[in-house]
Amino acid sequence: MNLNLSNSGLEQPGANYDVIIIGGGPAGATAALYTARAELRTLVIDKGLGSGALGITHKIANYPGILGDISGADLLQRMRQQAESFGATFLQDKVQSVDLMAETKTVFGNSGVFTARAVIISTGSMGRGQRVPGEDELLGRGVSYCATCDAAFFKGQTVAVAGNSDEAVEEALFLTRFAKQVHLLSPTPELKAPAELVHEFASKPGAIVHPGAALRAVEGDGRVENIRFATRHQGEQTLPVSGVFIYLQGGRPITDFLQGQLQVSETGCLVVDAEYRTPLPGVFAVGDVLCNHVKQAVVAAAEGAVAAMAVEKQLHGRKQLAVDWAK
Amino acid sequence: MCEDTRELMEEVASLSPKLSVETFDFVADAAVAAQYGIDKIPAIAVVRTDAPVTNRGVRLYGIPSGYEFSTLIEDIRLVSTGDLGLNAQTLQELDALPGPIDIQVFVTPTCPYCPRAVLLAHRLALASDKVNASMVEATEFPQLANRYQVYGVPRTVVNDVIHVEGAVPEDMLMGKMKVLDDAPALFKLRQRWEANLN
Ligand SMILES: Cc1cc2nc3c(=O)[nH]c(=O)nc-3n(C[C@H](O)[C@H](O)[C@H](O)COP(=O)(O)OP(=O)(O)OC[C@H]3O[C@@H](n4cnc5c(N)ncnc54)[C@H](O)[C@@H]3O)c2cc1C
C-alpha cells in the first residue's frame, strides 16, 4: 500500500530541529550561518533563490567585503553555501502555515511538516498588497494559493495562474498534470523564473503563457467563472476559468502564513525587541519583514546574526548573548 | 478504498496491544452504523473501548493516507490520553454554544496543513459531547464536495452553513461558531445555503 507517509512529521518524537528559519534571504541565511556554527540543528525553508529581494537584485555594490559588482543571487548563493558548510540544511519549499503557540513549533510546507524548538521568521517584504476584486469572496471557491492541495478539484478544467516567480511557474507546471488548460499570466513582459523552467511549462499540452498580463478581477456567482486581465496591447479581456491560483508579489511584509498568530502592524510588519524576539516565546523575526527596518542587505544580515545568537542564548539557557569568536 | 482502509487500520492496530479494530459492514450492520452516526463509507470511528457508544466524536471518512495518516495517529493519541491542549476560553465558549454541532473538515491527502484543521475539529469533539467532527477526504466523496462547493482545502463546514477556509487558529474558528448562538444570523446563513443548493 503506498500511503506516502514521508515527511508526515511522524518520523521522530520531539522536535526534528533546534531552529527552523523561514525565508533564506540575507537575513535568514546569515541567521543559519550563526545557528549552525553554534551547533544547533538548523533547517532553512525558502521558496527559491529568485523569489526574494536580494535574489532578484541585478547588481549589488555596497555589501562590505565584496568589491565590484555582484548579482544579488550570486551573493546570496555564497551566503547559503557558507551556512551549509557549517551544517545548515536548506530546503526549497513554501511555508503555508505554522503552529507557533506550543513549546514545540510546527511548520507546514508543501513537501512536509517540520518541528523545531525555535523559529526565525525572515520572509522579507515581497508580499502582495491589495487583492483583486472578487479574490477574497471566491477564496476556496476556485481561488487558491496552493496547487498541491487543490489541483485535484480542477481535473480536465481550465485554470489560470497569476505570477512570474519560480514558485508561480512550478505551480503552473504541477497544474498541467490535472487541468486541461493552464493559462500563466505574468504581470511583467519577462518572467523572473529561470528560462528552462518557463520552457518546460510552455512545452506542456494546454499550457499558455500570457506575458505582461495584469490580473484585474475574479468573477463568478458562488464559484469562479471568469477572470479579467489586461495586457498593454490588447487591453482588458475576460477568460472563462474555473480556478485561479495566485502567486503575485508586491511590497508588503510576508506574514500570511502566520494566520493571526502574531500581531502585525497596520502596514503588515512584525514588531520585535532588541534581540529580535516576537511576543511569542521561541519565535524571532529579522530582515525586511520587520517594522522600522532599513532595507539593506547588510542590515538584514546583521539582524540575522543577532537573532541567531539570541536563539542560542535561549536554547542553551544563557543569561547573555555569546559572541561567535574564533578561538 | 474500503479494503485499503481496513488493511491500514489492521496494520496500525498491530503496532500496540492497546489498539484493536472492529470492522462492520455498512449494509449488514446498519444498526451499528446508525449508533455511531456513520452515513457513508469508508468510515473510521476512533473511540475508547471503555466509553459508551455515541453518534458523536472523532470520525474519518475516506482513507487517511498522505498527510492525513498523521491525523489518524494523533487522533488515537488524543482519544487515549484526553490531553486536548485547548484554551480555557475555547472550552467556556464551547460550553455556552447550543448543540448539536456537526463539524466536517474537507481535505485532500496532499494538503500539508489540512491535518491541523481536522485535529482542531476533533479536539472540539473530544472536549464536548455535543460535537461530532469528521474528516472528509474530498476526492473520495465528490458528491459531498460538490454539495458544499469545495474547490479548496481545508474547508471546515459547521452545521452545513458556516464555512471556514483554511487551517485557522482555535480562537478564529470559535469566533465563526458564535453564529450558532445568534438565531437570526443563523437563519439568514441557512437561507443563503439552501438557495445555493440546486
Ligand atoms: C530591486 C532591489 C534592489 C536592491 N538593491 C540593494 C542594494 O543595492 N544594496 C542593499 O544593501 N540592499 C538592496 N536591496 C534591499 C535588500 O535586497 C533587502 O533589504 C534584503 O534582501 C532583505 O533581506 P531579507 O532576508 O529580509 O528578505 P529577502 O531578501 O526578500 O528574502 C526573503 C526570502 O524569504 C523567502 N520566503 C518568503 N515567504 C516564504 C514562505 N512562505 N516560505 C518559504 N520562503 C519564503 C523568499 O523566497 C526569499 O528568498 C534591494 C532590494 C530590491 C527589491
Side-chain angles (χ1 to χ4, degrees), chain A residues 11 69 98 143 214 228 238 254 269 281 300-301 317:
Chain A
E11 312 89 276
D69 290 342
V98 287
V143 172
R228 277 197 286 124
T238 302
I254 299 182
C269 54

Side-chain angles (χ1 to χ4, degrees), chain A residues 3 98 109-110 148-150 223, chain B residues 66-67 108 110 112 116 151 153 167:
Chain A
L3 290 171
V98 287
N110 284 331
T148 26
C149 306
D150 301 336
R223 72 160 299 184
Chain B
Y67 287 108
T108 59
T110 51
R116 220 181 114 204
Y151 305 104
V153 289

Side-chain angles (χ1 to χ4, degrees), chain A residues 9-78:
Chain A
L10 287 171
E11 312 89 276
Q12 275 173 283
N16 305 143
Y17 291 93
D18 292 315
V19 55
I20 293 177
I21 300 171
I22 307 175
T30 309
L33 166 66
Y34 275 73
T35 54
R37 274 177 63 84
E39 295 186 349
L40 298 176
R41 289 169 303 162
T42 302
L43 174 69
V44 184
I45 304 177
D46 185 83
K47 285 194 292 193
L49 197 61
S51 10
L54 186 57
I56 60 159
T57 301
H58 287 297
K59 267 198 264 175
I60 171 156
N62 58 358
Y63 197 85
I66 307 283
L67 275 170
D69 290 342
I70 183 170
S71 79
D74 282 345
L75 176 60
L76 186 53
Q77 195 58 38
R78 286 198 199 185

Side-chain angles (χ1 to χ4, degrees), chain A residues 21-28 31 46-47 52-54 100 119-128 250-259 262-273 276-279 283-297 299-301 303-304 307:
Chain A
I21 300 171
I22 307 175
D46 185 83
K47 285 194 292 193
L54 186 57
L100 302 178
V119 163
I120 301 178
I121 299 165
S122 47
T123 42
S125 64
M126 290 199 47
R128 272 178 84 207
R252 274 178 82 89
I254 299 182
T255 56
D256 51 349
F257 61 93
L258 294 169
Q259 291 170 309
L262 269 176
Q263 213 171 358
V264 296
S265 78
E266 230 163 73
T267 51
C269 54
L270 295 178
V271 180
V272 289
D273 68 9
Y276 301 96
R277 287 182 294 210
T278 69
V283 182
F284 300 73
V286 286
D288 281 7
V289 76
L290 294 183
C291 299
N292 306 321
H293 160 87
V294 181
K295 289 195 172 159
Q296 287 288 296
V299 177
E303 291 175 351

Side-chain angles (χ1 to χ4, degrees), chain A residues 118-298:
Chain A
V119 163
I120 301 178
I121 299 165
S122 47
T123 42
S125 64
M126 290 199 47
R128 272 178 84 207
Q130 287 215 322
R131 312 204 173 259
V132 298
E135 182 177 342
D136 286 340
E137 294 82 342
L138 293 166
L139 175 63
R141 292 159 194 279
V143 172
S144 171
Y145 308 112
C146 179
T148 26
C149 306
D150 301 336
F153 298 111
F154 300 93
K155 264 187 205 137
Q157 301 178 31
T158 299
V159 300
V161 175
N164 57 8
S165 60
D166 320 27
E167 184 194 4
V169 183
E170 268 170 24
E171 296 276 276
L173 191 59
F174 181 77
L175 280 161
T176 59
R177 288 166 35 193
F178 297 83
K180 179 178 70 184
Q181 241 180 17
V182 180
H183 294 265
L184 176 62
L185 312 179
S186 164
T188 49
E190 297 271 331
L191 277 95
K192 287 188 202 151
E196 315 86 71
L197 187 62
V198 179
H199 184 74
E200 191 185 346
F201 168 72
S203 65
K204 295 282 175 201
I208 301 156
V209 182
H210 302 262
L215 181 67
R216 288 281 169 79
V218 185
E219 298 171 331
D221 184 11
R223 72 160 299 184
V224 171
E225 291 162 12
N226 300 302
I227 53 164
R228 277 197 286 124
F229 70 94
T231 56
R232 263 252 289 287
H233 303 299
Q234 291 181 307
E236 202 163 288
Q237 45 188 303
T238 302
L239 180 72
V241 296
S242 47
V244 54
F245 293 77
I246 304 179
Y247 305 98
L248 294 166
Q249 293 180 308
R252 274 178 82 89
I254 299 182
T255 56
D256 51 349
F257 61 93
L258 294 169
Q259 291 170 309
Q261 289 170 67
L262 269 176
Q263 213 171 358
V264 296
S265 78
E266 230 163 73
T267 51
C269 54
L270 295 178
V271 180
V272 289
D273 68 9
E275 288 182 5
Y276 301 96
R277 287 182 294 210
T278 69
L280 283 179
V283 182
F284 300 73
V286 286
D288 281 7
V289 76
L290 294 183
C291 299
N292 306 321
H293 160 87
V294 181
K295 289 195 172 159
Q296 287 288 296
V298 65

Side-chain angles (χ1 to χ4, degrees), chain B:
Chain B
M1 272 307 177
C2 287
E3 207 33 59
D4 285 345
T5 307
R6 176 213 290 255
E7 244 177 72
L8 172 70
M9 294 310 290
E10 282 168 358
E11 263 177 61
V12 170
S14 70
L15 299 174
S16 161
K18 293 183 194 159
L19 299 174
S20 60
V21 190
E22 264 185 277
T23 313
F24 296 97
D25 184 300
F26 191 49
V27 181
D29 304 315
V32 182
Q35 276 184 316
Y36 283 98
I38 280 165
D39 57 358
K40 52 192 168 287
I41 47 166
I44 299 167
V46 183
V47 294
R48 289 183 67 100
T49 43
D50 59 3
V53 172
T54 143
N55 60 359
R56 309 232 164 82
V58 169
R59 305 287 182 266
L60 300 103
Y61 294 102
I63 186 164
S65 68
Y67 287 108
E68 289 309 322
F69 183 69
S70 67
T71 305
L72 172 68
I73 301 300
E74 184 62 13
D75 276 337
I76 294 171
R77 196 192 67 79
L78 289 172
V79 168
S80 153
T81 63
D83 171 14
L84 304 179
L86 291 167
N87 294 329
Q89 198 188 334
T90 300
L91 297 176
Q92 254 176 23
E93 287 173 4
L94 198 57
D95 211 35
L97 286 177
I101 301 173
D102 176 65
I103 311 179
Q104 304 179 72
V105 183
F106 287 87
V107 304
T108 59
T110 51
C111 167
Y113 47 109
C114 284
R116 220 181 114 204
V118 178
L119 287 168
L120 175 55
H122 281 172
R123 285 192 177 94
L124 296 176
L126 291 170
S128 164
D129 286 342
K130 59 185 157 204
V131 182
N132 177 49
S134 38
M135 174 209 90
V136 183
E137 209 280 86
T139 57
E140 268 186 73
F141 296 98
Q143 70 289 9
L144 263 192
N146 236 337
R147 179 174 151 90
Y148 294 99
Q149 301 189 323
V150 177
Y151 305 104
V153 289
R155 160 91 66 85
T156 302
V157 176
V158 183
N159 288 4
D160 290 340
V161 294
I162 305 172
H163 291 211
V164 184
E165 305 296 336
V168 299
E170 193 176 318
D171 53 343
M172 209 185 276
L173 180 64
M174 291 312 293
K176 300 263 185 187
M177 292 203 337
K178 282 214 178 99
V179 177
L180 293 174
D181 213 5
D182 178 348
L186 196 62
F187 181 71
K188 259 194 218 147
L189 275 182
R190 187 157 290 281
Q191 269 185 326
R192 202 179 325 148
W193 149 252
E194 278 166 6
N196 271 335
L197 281 179
N198 36 35

